C-alpha cells in the first residue's frame, strides 16, 4: 500500500446487520483471506481484531465502528465493521453517511430481523448501494430461499440471488455460482475448490440462472434486445449490467456462506469488487458555500479543492485525540493548514494515520475517496467539514436519533469531580447520542443515551479508561411533553430601575404538530412592532422555557410557536427583556394548551421456543405491550410487540427466567405516544 491505487480501485464498504448475524466474524475472515491478519480472530474467544475494546471482548458484541484497510484482487478495500445492537445505532448512522457501499449480513435461520430493517432504512436515507451475504448456512433451520423472501416482504427490497447453496444445515458444503456456471466446495478448508455443477442440481441451477439473467437484462434496454434476439449474453456483460443496477439500487445481489468456517468469504470479496461502487461511481458530493449560501459540487478527484467530513472522534491512549475523516475531494498532506468551515476557524492537521482497528500506520498524504484518522484537529467534531480555506464548503453532516433513557451520576469524592467532568466531556465528543446536563434542583449530572446497555458501557468506560469512581442512579425514562390544543398568551417583562429599565412585550401562538416534528419557531411580525434584533432573543427564551414543561418538567416537543405581536420601548428594550418575555409567554400558552405527557414506545422482537409462548405473552401483556405479529414454525416463535420503555427495564433477566434461558429479545425506539391517564400521576410523583 505504499503507492496509492487509482480511485476506481478503491471500495469504501461497511458490514451492517442485526446483532449476532455475524458481521464481525465475516469481517475477521475477510481480513484473514486477504492476508491482512495472519490468524483468524474469534468473537466468542475474545480475540477478534475489530472488537478491540475490553467491553466488546467481554460481551461478544461490537460497540464502536472499527475501520481497517486491506487489499483484494488489486483493489484497496476500506472496511468499517459496525455494531448490530440498536443502542449503538449512531455508529451505523455516521458510518453509512461516509460509505459508498454496504454488505448487509443476514442470519439464514432468522432472516430479516428488526435491526436489519433499521440499518436498511439508514442505508436508504444515505442512498448506499448494497449486496447481501446470507450467513450461517450450516445452522439447523437455515433456509436461503426463505431469507430472500423475508428481504422482499420486510425490506421491500429487490434481491437477486447470484449464488445457490449446495446443501443446507449440516449438509452445507459450497455454492453454485450462477454467473460463472461453476460450483465451489470448501471441504473444511479456507480456500474453495472449483468443480462442475452437481448433476442432480443441473435443472434447478438452470432455472435459477435463467431467472437471474432475465432480471439483469430488464435493467438495460440494449441487453434486453440482444437477449430477446436469442443471443447468449457473455458473463462480463451481465456483470457490468448488474454492477450498474446495484449502484443505481435497482437490484441487490445476494450471496451465501458460513463465515465461521470461512465458507463463501472469497466470492463475497469478489462481489464487493465487482458490484459495489468506487468513490468515482457515486454522485459527486454537494455542500453549501458558507460565504454565498449556494450549493457547490465537489467531484471525487485529487485535483479538486480539498473537502472532508469528520465522521468520528475518539480518544486514543497513545496518540491522543483522533478525528476520522472521509475525504471527498482533493487531497491533504500531514502538517497542512486546513479550514473548519462548520466552525469558521483554521487548524493545523498534524499526522495522518491509516487505521487497522486500534493499530495505526502513518501516511504522508490522504486523497479523495479515502478514509483515515488525523491527529491535531482540536476544534473538529463529528459532522464538521474541513476544507481548503479558499474554497469553503459545508457538507451535510450525519443525523442522530434522540436519547430515550437517562441516569444520574455523581463523583464519590471531591477529587473525582474534575476528573468526572473531563472524562464525560471526552466520551460525549466520541458519541453524539450521549447527552449530558446538570440538574440544577438536585445538583446531579444526568447522562442520557439510547438504552440500558449504552449507558452501562458508558459508565464502565468511565471507570476503566479514565479511573473515575462514581455513584450511579437507576436508569430513568426520558419522557416528553406536548400541548394538545392551540392557545395564545402574552408575555410582558417590565422592570424599572434607577437608570435604564427593562421592557419586552410579546404575544405567542402555539399549536400541536405531528409526532417527531420537534419544536418549530416562526415570526409573523410585520411593520416593526418588534425590531428585528429582538426576534432571535424571543426564540431563545421560548427554547429555554421548552426545556422544562409544566406537567412534570420534561422537554416540550412537537409544537409550532408563532410570534404574532408585541411592542418595544425605544430606550428600555433589550435582548434580555425579550428573552424573558418570550419565556413567560411560552410557559403561559403551554399551560393553557392542555399539556400531556409522552412516553417512548419501543418495538421489541422476542424469539422463543414454542413451548414458552404462553408464558412470554402473559408477561408481555402485564407490561402494557401491544402484540403486532406472531410468526414461526413448530419449534420457534417470533413475537413482535410495541412496549413502553418504562415497562421494559430488566426484561432480559425475566425472559431468561421464564424460558430457562432459551429465548432472546431485541428492541429499538419507535415513537413517542401519550402516557395513559392512570400512569401520569405516578410519573409526576416520582
Amino acid at each position: 500500500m505504499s503507492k496509492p491505487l487509482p480511485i476506481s480501485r478503491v471500495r469504501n464498504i461497511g458490514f451492517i446487520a442485526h446483532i449476532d448475524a455475524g458481521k464481525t466474524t465475516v469481517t475477521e475472515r475477510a481480513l484473514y483471506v486477504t492476508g491482512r491478519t495472519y490468524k483468524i480472530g474469534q468473537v466468542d474467544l475474545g480475540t477478534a481484531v475489530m472488537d478491540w475494546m475490553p467491553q466488546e471482548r467481554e460481551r461478544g458484541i461490537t460497540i464502536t465502528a472499527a475501520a481497517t484497510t486491506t487489499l483484494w484482487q488489486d483493489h484497496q478495500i476500506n472496511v468499517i465493521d459496525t455494531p448490530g445492537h440498536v443502542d449503538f445505532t449512531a455508529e451505523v448512522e455516521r458510518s453509512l453517511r461516509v460509505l459508498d457501499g454496504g454488505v448487509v449480513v443476514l442470519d439464514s435461520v432468522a432472516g430479516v430481523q428488526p435491526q436489519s430493517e433499521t440499518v436498511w432504512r439508514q442505508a436508504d436515507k444515505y442512498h448506499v448501494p448494497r449486496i447481501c451475504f446470507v450467513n450461517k448456512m450450516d445452522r439447523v433451520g437455515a433456509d436461503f430461499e426463505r431469507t430472500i423472501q423475508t428481504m422482499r416482504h420486510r425490506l421491500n427490497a429487490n434481491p437477486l440471488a447470484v449464488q445457490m447453496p449446495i446443501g443446507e444445515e449440516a449438509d452445507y458444503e459450497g455454492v453454485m455460482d450462477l454467473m460463472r456456471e461453476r460450483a465451489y466446495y470448501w471441504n473444511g478448508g479456507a480456500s474453495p475448490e472449483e468443480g462442475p455443477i452437481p448433476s442432480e442440481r443441473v435443472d434447478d441451477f438452470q432455472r435459477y440462472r435463467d431467472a437471474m439473467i432475465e432480471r439483469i437484462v430488464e435493467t438495460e434496454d440494449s441487453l434486453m434486445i440482444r437477449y430477446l434476439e436469442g443471443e447468449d449474453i457473455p458473463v462480463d456483460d451481465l456483470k457490468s449490467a448488474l454492477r450498474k443496477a446495484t449502484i443505481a439500487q435497482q437490484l441487490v445481489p445476494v450471496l451465501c456462506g458460513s463465515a465461521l468456517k470461512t465458507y463463501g468469504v472469497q466470492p463475497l470479496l469478489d462481489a464487493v469488487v465487482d458490484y459495489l461502487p468506487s468513490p468515482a461511481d457515486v454522485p459527486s458530493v454537494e455542500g453549501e458555500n458558507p460565504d454565498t449560501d449556494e450549493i457547490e459540487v465537489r467531484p471525487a478527484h485529487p485535483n479538486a479543492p480539498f473537502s472532508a467530513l469528520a465522521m468520528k472522534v475518539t480518544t486514543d491512549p497513545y496518540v491522543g485525540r483522533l478525528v476520522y475523516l472521509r475525504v471527498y475531494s482533493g487531497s491533504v498532506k500531514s502538517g497542512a493548514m486546513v479550514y473548519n468551515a462548520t466552525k469558521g476557524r483554521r487548524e493545523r492537521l498534524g499526522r495522518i494515520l491509516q487505521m487497522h482497528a486500534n493499530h495505526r500506520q502513518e501516511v504522508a498524504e490522504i486523497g479523495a475517496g479515502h478514509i483515515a484518522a488525523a491527529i491535531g484537529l482540536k476544534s473538529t467534531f463529528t459532522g464538521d467539514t474541513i476544507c481548503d480555506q479558499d474554497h469553503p464548503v459545508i457538507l451535510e453532516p450525519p443525523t442522530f436519533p434522540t436519547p430515550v433513557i437517562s441516569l444520574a451520576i455523581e463523583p464519590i469524592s471531591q477529587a473525582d469531580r474534575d476528573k468526572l467532568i473531563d472524562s464525560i466531556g471526552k466520551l460525549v465528543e466520541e458519541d453524539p447520542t450521549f447527552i449530558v446536563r446538570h440538574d440544577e434542583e438536585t445538583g446531579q449530572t444526568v447522562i442520557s443515551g439510547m438504552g440500558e446497555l449504552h449507558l452501562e458501557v458508558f459508565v464502565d468506560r468511565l471507570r476503566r479508561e479514565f479511573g473515575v469512581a462514581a455513584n450511579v442512579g437507576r436508569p430513568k425514562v426520558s419522557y416528553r411533553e406536548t400541548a394538545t390544543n392551540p392557545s395564545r398568551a402574552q408575555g410582558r417583562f417590565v422592570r424599572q430601575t434607577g437608570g435604564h429599565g427593562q421592557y419586552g412585550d410579546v404575544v405567542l401562538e402555539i399549536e400541536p404538530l405531528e409526532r417527531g416534528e420537534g419544536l418549530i419557531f416562526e415570526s409573523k411580525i410585520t411593520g416593526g412592532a418588534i425590531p428585528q434584533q429582538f426576534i432571535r432573543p424571543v426564540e431563545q427564551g421560548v427554547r429555554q422555557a421548552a426545556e422544562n414543561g409544566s406537567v412534570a418538567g420534561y422537554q416540550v416537543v412537537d409544537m409550532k410557536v408563532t410570534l404574532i405581536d408585541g411592542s418595544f420601548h425605544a430606550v428600555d428594550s433589550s435582548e434580555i427583556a425579550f428573552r424573558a418575555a418570550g419565556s413567560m409567554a411560552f410557559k403561559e400558552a403551554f399551560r393553557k394548551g392542555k399539556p400531556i405527557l409522552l412516553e417512548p414506545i419501543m418495538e421489541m422482537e422476542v424469539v422463543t421456543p414454542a413451548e414458552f409462548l404462553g408464558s412470554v405473552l402473559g408477561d408481555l401483556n402485564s407490561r402494557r405491550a401491544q402484540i403486532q405479529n406472531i410468526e414461526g414454525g413448530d419449534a420457534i416463535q417470533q413475537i413482535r410487540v410495541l412496549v413502553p420503555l418504562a415497562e421494559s427495564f430488566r426484561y432480559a433477566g425475566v425472559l431468561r427466567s421464564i424460558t430457562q434461558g432459551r429465548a432472546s429479545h431485541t428492541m429499538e425506539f419507535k415513537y413517542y405516544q401519550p402516557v395513559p391517564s392512570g400512569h401520569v400521576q405516578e410519573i409526576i410523583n416520582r
Side-chain angles (χ1 to χ4, degrees):
M1 286 196 282
S2 54
K3 186 183 176 190
L5 287 165
I7 199 166
S8 60
R9 290 199 192 159
V10 174
R11 300 287 182 273
N12 292 312
I13 67 156
F15 287 98
I16 55 178
H18 184 90
I19 191 167
D20 282 343
K23 290 176 308 306
T24 302
T25 303
V26 174
T27 311
E28 294 293 331
R29 298 312 188 271
L31 295 178
Y32 176 72
V33 301
T34 58
R36 190 68 176 87
T37 53
Y38 65 92
K39 66 176 183 178
I40 297 174
Q42 298 273 25
V43 174
D44 293 343
L45 300 179
T47 58
V49 175
M50 302 301 276
D51 285 351
W52 55 270
M53 289 170 64
Q55 293 86 351
E56 293 178 313
R57 294 188 165 183
E58 286 166 11
R59 289 172 169 84
I61 60 169
T62 302
I63 291 170
T64 182
T68 189
T69 300
T70 191
L71 289 174
W72 182 254
Q73 310 287 31
D74 205 22
H75 284 68
Q76 180 177 330
I77 303 177
N78 299 322
V79 179
I80 294 183
D81 174 36
T82 65
H85 201 288
V86 69
D87 282 20
F88 309 105
T89 189
E91 293 288 323
V92 184
E93 190 82 32
R94 59 174 155 207
S95 300
L96 285 170
R97 170 62 186 84
V98 301
L99 292 171
D100 301 319
V103 178
V104 180
V105 182
L106 298 175
D107 183 323
S108 64
V109 180
V112 172
Q113 296 166 279
Q115 186 64 5
S116 318
E117 295 179 53
T118 303
V119 297
W120 196 271
R121 286 197 302 270
Q122 287 171 308
D124 280 341
K125 180 165 90 175
Y126 295 115
H127 308 294
V128 177
R130 280 140 273 179
I131 61 177
C132 266
F133 182 71
V134 179
N135 192 23
K136 305 186 181 184
M137 286 300 302
D138 54 341
R139 271 188 64 195
V140 174
D143 190 327
F144 183 67
E145 290 192 44
R146 189 185 68 223
T147 302
I148 288 180
Q149 287 300 329
T150 64
M151 287 180 67
R152 290 195 183 98
H153 169 58
R154 292 190 178 180
L155 303 176
N156 291 324
N158 201 1
L160 178 71
V162 293
Q163 292 178 345
M164 290 303 296
I166 301 174
E168 282 178 343
E169 301 184 347
D171 297 328
Y172 177 70
E173 52 183 337
V175 297
M176 297 180 284
D177 188 318
L178 298 177
M179 282 283 186
R180 295 191 179 96
E181 300 184 76
R182 301 293 288 167
Y184 294 92
Y185 301 88
W186 275 268
N187 297 322
S191 299
E193 295 171 11
E194 192 176 327
I197 302 299
S199 55
E200 70 277 9
R201 297 292 305 275
V202 167
D203 291 344
D204 274 352
F205 173 84
Q206 200 56 52
R207 190 173 77 253
Y208 279 106
R209 187 169 195 272
D210 291 345
M212 177 194 76
I213 293 171
E214 282 179 19
R215 298 266 307 281
I216 292 173
V217 299
E218 281 171 3
T219 65
E220 196 170 299
D221 290 346
S222 59
L223 269 189
M224 176 65 98
I225 292 165
R226 289 164 57 190
Y227 178 72
L228 292 174
E229 288 174 350
E231 184 181 332
D232 191 8
I233 310 293
V235 170
D236 287 349
D237 289 356
L238 288 172
K239 277 189 169 182
S240 173
L242 179 53
R243 177 180 177 77
K244 288 177 192 165
T246 304
I247 294 170
Q249 295 172 64
Q250 294 172 291
L251 293 172
V252 180
V254 183
L255 301 92
C256 63
S258 169
L260 194 62
K261 294 180 177 174
T262 323
Y263 291 7
V265 176
Q266 294 93 336
L268 175 64
L269 289 165
D270 289 341
V272 166
V273 168
D274 289 341
Y275 305 126
L276 289 180
S278 75
D281 294 322
V282 294
S284 296
V285 72
E286 292 182 347
E288 187 179 282
N289 185 319
D291 298 336
T292 64
D293 293 338
E294 291 185 1
I295 299 298
E296 296 188 2
V297 176
R298 289 286 185 271
H301 195 279
N303 296 331
F306 168 66
S307 68
L309 188 70
M311 59 171 280
K312 180 173 175 171
V313 177
T314 63
T315 304
D316 187 287
Y318 301 104
V319 296
R321 191 174 189 272
L322 280 175
V323 179
Y324 282 75
L325 299 172
R326 160 69 197 261
V327 180
Y328 281 97
S329 61
S331 61
V332 67
K333 293 183 176 174
S334 56
M337 290 299 294
V338 295
Y339 181 64
N340 182 327
T342 311
K343 298 280 194 312
R345 65 172 63 168
R346 296 180 72 205
E347 290 195 84
R348 184 172 297 282
L349 189 150
R351 292 186 292 154
I352 301 171
L353 306 174
Q354 195 89 62
M355 300 302 292
H356 177 45
N358 63 332
H359 302 290
R360 61 202 73 76
Q361 174 187 341
E362 199 162 332
V363 292
E365 185 177 4
I366 176 177
H370 288 274
I371 295 172
I375 300 171
L377 299 173
K378 292 188 171 55
S379 303
T380 300
F381 293 84
T382 299
D384 286 359
T385 302
I386 62 167
C387 57
D388 179 348
Q389 187 167 6
D390 295 333
H391 302 87
V393 69
I394 297 178
L395 307 176
E396 181 194 352
T399 55
F400 299 107
T402 309
V404 294
I405 186 170
S406 58
L407 56 77
I409 184 167
E410 54 188 24
I412 285 175
S413 67
Q414 191 60 39
D416 281 310
R417 182 170 295 280
D418 292 342
K419 205 194 286 188
L420 176 69
I421 292 167
D422 182 54
S423 306
I424 285 179
K426 286 178 179 171
L427 290 176
V428 167
E429 272 190 22
E430 291 186 18
D431 190 339
T433 54
F434 276 129
I435 307 291
V436 177
R437 65 181 176 84
H438 186 69
D439 190 318
E440 298 293 341
E441 289 183 15
T442 63
Q444 292 175 313
T445 299
V446 178
I447 56 174
S448 303
M450 298 306 299
E452 285 185 272
L453 180 62
H454 197 206
L455 295 180
E456 192 183 308
V457 169
F458 183 97
V459 172
D460 192 38
R461 290 188 64 192
L462 279 178
R463 288 173 177 153
R464 286 200 206 188
E465 290 176 36
F466 300 98
V468 176
N471 290 321
V472 178
R474 290 180 60 193
K476 292 181 180 175
V477 176
S478 292
Y479 292 97
R480 296 285 186 269
E481 297 183 22
T482 193
T484 53
N485 284 357
S487 74
R488 176 186 294 201
Q490 182 178 19
R492 295 185 82 241
F493 184 79
V494 182
R495 298 284 186 276
Q496 200 58 49
T497 55
H500 277 314
Q502 296 283 0
Y503 184 94
D505 174 28
V506 302
V507 179
L508 297 178
E509 260 184 2
I510 66 168
E511 58 183 295
L513 296 174
E514 294 291 319
R515 295 287 164 265
E517 294 280 329
L519 189 74
I520 297 171
F521 179 87
E522 185 182 317
S523 170
K524 288 190 176 174
I525 295 295
T526 55
I530 299 175
Q532 191 63 36
Q533 71 263 30
F534 295 138
I535 300 227
R536 179 78 177 141
V538 174
E539 181 181 355
Q540 289 170 343
V542 166
R543 293 195 179 278
Q544 194 174 349
E547 289 296 314
N548 301 101
S550 60
V551 182
Y554 289 101
Q555 185 183 348
V556 177
V557 295
D558 305 337
M559 303 283 307
K560 183 178 181 184
V561 182
T562 308
L563 174 59
I564 59 169
D565 201 1
S567 63
F568 75 104
H569 189 283
V571 178
D572 290 348
S573 284
S574 67
E575 290 191 3
I576 292 170
F578 274 97
R579 196 178 302 131
S583 176
M584 291 162 66
F586 177 80
K587 285 179 179 174
E588 177 63 16
F590 185 65
R591 191 181 59 75
K592 287 159 59 176
K594 294 197 175 172
I596 57 169
L597 206 56
L598 302 172
E599 64 179 345
I601 302 297
M602 313 300 283
E603 184 175 54
M604 182 190 288
E605 181 173 271
V606 182
V607 179
T608 176
E611 67 216 70
F612 301 112
L613 181 63
S615 302
V616 172
L617 289 175
D619 179 70
L620 287 170
N621 285 328
S622 73
R623 296 173 183 270
R624 295 195 281 135
Q626 301 168 33
I627 309 295
Q628 300 294 295
N629 188 28
I630 302 174
E631 61 182 49
D634 295 335
I636 298 291
Q637 295 285 327
Q638 288 175 311
I639 312 161
R640 282 194 171 207
V641 299
L642 295 173
V643 62
L645 175 64
E647 305 288 350
S648 70
F649 289 162
R650 307 286 179 258
Y651 180 66
V654 173
L655 184 64
R656 275 197 298 271
S657 170
I658 60 179
T659 63
Q660 299 169 15
R662 292 169 61 194
S664 63
H665 83 292
T666 55
M667 66 178 186
E668 64 174 311
F669 171 69
K670 193 71 175 171
Y671 49 68
Y672 276 92
Q673 77 173 23
V675 176
S677 54
H679 293 268
V680 173
Q681 194 56 47
E682 181 190 333
I683 293 164
I684 294 171
N685 293 342
R686 279 208 300 268

